[in-house]
Amino acid sequence: MKEETTLIIMKPDAVLRNLLGEIVSRFERKGLKIVGMKMVKLEDTLLENHYSHLKDKPFFESLKNYMQSSPVIVMALSGVNAISATRLIVGPTKGYEADAGSIRGDLSISGQTNIVHASDSPETAKEELERFFSKDELFNYDRLDLDFIYGEDERE
Ligand code: TYD
């Protein structure tokens, strides 16, 4: 079992539809620990770096407009297997294909305005955390309910 940290972005539709509390609550209840959180505006360079794998896609311009339509919340979440566990909670890219129970499945019916971003691998998580957070913006502490979140043999 491996402690990991992953990067979440609560996108403009989450902010503008007042869904922030709902989303944070789902991650908290799962047992993930918030180790960083702030509101930012996604300036051109930051956004273009973040979505560099999509820069030649026909939807890139509309994606950019959407991502810059309000400030966003970036959040760092830690926990055992946090990267894959978080992707499961978020669901696949298109809201209309995502299973009910996932954030996108419950809250989005769009292939673009899909509420949250979550890192999809250890490599992208590392890269994205460094992109959005400086070292002194990430914190270390223990949740008080740790004994109930993990089995004895799962704790470090
Ligand atoms: P991608 O990195 O493929 O998916 P994910 O967010 O699940 O990791 O795509 C990034 C974002 O680009 C996606 O969340 C929404 C947007 N997007 C579109 O607007 N249209 C599309 O056809 C696709 C595939 C993605």
Side-chain angles (χ1 to χ4, degrees):
M1 297 276 167
K2 190 154 145 270
E3 177 87 8
E4 295 175 331
T5 305
T6 192
L7 188 274
I8 297 292
I9 304 174
M10 293 192 271
K11 298 181 179 182
D13 48 334
V15 175
L16 298 170
R17 291 175 59 197
N18 298 333
L19 294 172
L20 298 176
E22 159 86 34
I23 295 162
V24 171
S25 172
R26 288 179 182 221
F27 292 126
E28 285 181 320
R29 284 182 286 150
K30 178 71 171 177
L32 291 156
K33 178 170 64 175
I34 299 167
V35 296
M37 181 144 96
K38 62 181 177 180
M39 181 172 267
V40 295
K41 183 168 180 293
L42 295 175
E43 304 292 356
D44 287 352
T45 310
L46 193 65
L47 189 59
E48 281 158 18
N49 288 338
H50 180 66
Y51 281 142
S52 60
H53 62 295
L54 300 172
K55 68 175 187 311
D56 297 326
K57 300 281 184 195
F59 58 82
F60 187 71
E61 203 52 37
S62 71
L63 175 61
K64 215 174 138 187
N65 289 338
Y66 154 55
M67 292 298 290
Q68 294 182 322
S69 59
S70 83
V72 299
I73 304 284
V74 289
M75 189 160 63
L77 292 178
S78 288
V80 169
N81 295 325
I83 299 166
S84 57
T86 300
R87 285 289 291 195
L88 281 178
I89 295 169
V90 167
T93 306
K94 298 178 191 313
Y96 51 82
E97 290 175 353
D99 281 338
S102 65
I103 290 173
R104 287 167 169 171
D106 286 350
L107 303 174
S108 164
I109 197 161
S110 165
Q112 181 167 89
T113 56
N114 58 9
I115 311 280
V116 280
H117 166 83
S119 307
D120 61 6
S121 70
E123 296 70 36
T124 51
K126 182 174 182 300
E127 196 179 303
E128 291 176 355
L129 287 163
E130 285 171 4
R131 177 172 301 128
F132 288 100
F133 287 100
S134 60
K135 281 214 166 63
D136 64 356
E137 290 174 327
L138 294 174
F139 298 87
N140 205 358
Y141 64 95
D142 286 329
R143 281 180 63 139
L144 289 178
D145 52 2
L146 217 48
D147 289 354
F148 302 96
I149 287 177
Y150 297 111
E152 201 178 323
D153 59 345
E154 293 173 317
R155 284 173 235 143
E156 293 201 73

CSV table of all heavy atoms in Angstrom, one decimal, residues 43-53 55 60 64:
chain,number,residue,atom,x,y,z
A,43,GLU,N,-4.1,31.4,-15.7
A,43,GLU,CA,-3.5,32.2,-16.8
A,43,GLU,C,-3.1,31.4,-18.0
A,43,GLU,O,-3.0,30.2,-17.9
A,43,GLU,CB,-2.3,33.0,-16.3
A,43,GLU,CG,-2.5,33.8,-15.0
A,43,GLU,CD,-3.4,35.0,-15.2
A,43,GLU,OE1,-3.8,35.3,-16.4
A,43,GLU,OE2,-3.7,35.7,-14.2
A,44,ASP,N,-3.0,32.0,-19.2
A,44,ASP,CA,-2.8,31.3,-20.4
A,44,ASP,C,-1.6,30.3,-20.3
A,44,ASP,O,-1.8,29.1,-20.7
A,44,ASP,CB,-2.4,32.3,-21.5
A,44,ASP,CG,-3.6,33.1,-22.0
A,44,ASP,OD1,-4.7,32.8,-21.6
A,44,ASP,OD2,-3.4,34.0,-22.8
A,45,THR,N,-0.5,30.7,-19.8
A,45,THR,CA,0.7,29.8,-19.8
A,45,THR,C,0.4,28.5,-19.0
A,45,THR,O,0.7,27.4,-19.3
A,45,THR,CB,1.9,30.5,-19.3
A,45,THR,OG1,2.0,31.7,-20.1
A,45,THR,CG2,3.2,29.7,-19.5
A,46,LEU,N,-0.1,28.8,-17.8
A,46,LEU,CA,-0.4,27.7,-16.8
A,46,LEU,C,-1.4,26.7,-17.5
A,46,LEU,O,-1.1,25.5,-17.4
A,46,LEU,CB,-1.0,28.3,-15.6
A,46,LEU,CG,-1.1,27.5,-14.3
A,46,LEU,CD1,0.3,27.1,-13.8
A,46,LEU,CD2,-1.9,28.2,-13.2
A,47,LEU,N,-2.4,27.2,-18.1
A,47,LEU,CA,-3.4,26.4,-18.7
A,47,LEU,C,-2.9,25.6,-19.9
A,47,LEU,O,-3.1,24.4,-20.1
A,47,LEU,CB,-4.6,27.2,-19.1
A,47,LEU,CG,-5.9,26.5,-19.5
A,47,LEU,CD1,-6.4,25.6,-18.4
A,47,LEU,CD2,-6.9,27.5,-19.9
A,48,GLU,N,-2.1,26.3,-20.7
A,48,GLU,CA,-1.5,25.7,-21.9
A,48,GLU,C,-0.5,24.6,-21.5
A,48,GLU,O,-0.5,23.5,-22.1
A,48,GLU,CB,-0.9,26.7,-22.8
A,48,GLU,CG,-1.9,27.5,-23.6
A,48,GLU,CD,-1.5,28.8,-24.1
A,48,GLU,OE1,-0.3,29.1,-24.1
A,48,GLU,OE2,-2.4,29.7,-24.5
A,49,ASN,N,0.2,24.8,-20.4
A,49,ASN,CA,1.1,23.7,-19.9
A,49,ASN,C,0.3,22.5,-19.4
A,49,ASN,O,0.6,21.4,-19.7
A,49,ASN,CB,2.0,24.2,-18.8
A,49,ASN,CG,3.1,25.1,-19.4
A,49,ASN,OD1,3.4,25.1,-20.6
A,49,ASN,ND2,3.6,26.0,-18.5
A,50,HIS,N,-0.8,22.9,-18.6
A,50,HIS,CA,-1.6,21.8,-18.0
A,50,HIS,C,-2.3,20.9,-19.1
A,50,HIS,O,-2.3,19.7,-19.0
A,50,HIS,CB,-2.6,22.4,-17.1
A,50,HIS,CG,-3.5,21.5,-16.4
A,50,HIS,ND1,-3.0,20.6,-15.5
A,50,HIS,CD2,-4.8,21.2,-16.6
A,50,HIS,CE1,-4.0,19.8,-15.1
A,50,HIS,NE2,-5.1,20.1,-15.7
A,51,TYR,N,-2.8,21.6,-20.2
A,51,TYR,CA,-3.4,20.8,-21.2
A,51,TYR,C,-2.6,20.7,-22.5
A,51,TYR,O,-3.2,20.7,-23.6
A,51,TYR,CB,-4.8,21.4,-21.5
A,51,TYR,CG,-5.9,21.1,-20.5
A,51,TYR,CD1,-6.8,22.0,-20.0
A,51,TYR,CD2,-6.0,19.8,-19.9
A,51,TYR,CE1,-7.8,21.6,-19.1
A,51,TYR,CE2,-6.9,19.4,-19.0
A,51,TYR,CZ,-7.9,20.3,-18.6
A,51,TYR,OH,-8.8,20.0,-17.7
A,52,SER,N,-1.3,20.7,-22.3
A,52,SER,CA,-0.4,20.6,-23.5
A,52,SER,C,-0.7,19.4,-24.4
A,52,SER,O,-0.5,19.5,-25.6
A,52,SER,CB,1.1,20.7,-23.1
A,52,SER,OG,1.4,19.6,-22.3
A,53,HIS,N,-1.1,18.3,-23.8
A,53,HIS,CA,-1.4,17.1,-24.6
A,53,HIS,C,-2.7,17.3,-25.5
A,53,HIS,O,-3.0,16.5,-26.4
A,53,HIS,CB,-1.6,15.9,-23.7
A,53,HIS,CG,-2.8,16.0,-22.7
A,53,HIS,ND1,-2.8,16.9,-21.7
A,53,HIS,CD2,-3.9,15.3,-22.6
A,53,HIS,CE1,-3.9,16.8,-21.0
A,53,HIS,NE2,-4.6,15.8,-21.5
A,55,LYS,N,-3.4,20.5,-27.1
A,55,LYS,CA,-3.3,21.8,-27.7
A,55,LYS,C,-3.6,21.8,-29.2
A,55,LYS,O,-4.0,22.8,-29.7
A,55,LYS,CB,-1.9,22.5,-27.4
A,55,LYS,CG,-0.7,21.8,-28.1
A,55,LYS,CD,0.5,22.7,-27.9
A,55,LYS,CE,1.7,22.2,-28.6
A,55,LYS,NZ,2.0,20.8,-28.5
A,60,PHE,N,-9.7,22.8,-28.3
A,60,PHE,CA,-8.8,23.4,-27.3
A,60,PHE,C,-9.3,24.8,-26.9
A,60,PHE,O,-9.2,25.2,-25.8
A,60,PHE,CB,-7.4,23.4,-27.8
A,60,PHE,CG,-6.4,23.9,-26.8
A,60,PHE,CD1,-6.1,23.1,-25.6
A,60,PHE,CD2,-5.8,25.1,-26.9
A,60,PHE,CE1,-5.3,23.5,-24.7
A,60,PHE,CE2,-5.0,25.6,-25.9
A,60,PHE,CZ,-4.7,24.8,-24.8
A,64,LYS,N,-10.3,26.2,-23.3
A,64,LYS,CA,-9.6,27.3,-22.7
A,64,LYS,C,-10.5,28.3,-22.2
A,64,LYS,O,-10.5,28.8,-21.0
A,64,LYS,CB,-8.6,27.9,-23.7
A,64,LYS,CG,-7.3,28.4,-23.1
A,64,LYS,CD,-6.4,28.9,-24.2
A,64,LYS,CE,-5.7,30.1,-23.7
A,64,LYS,NZ,-4.9,30.8,-24.7
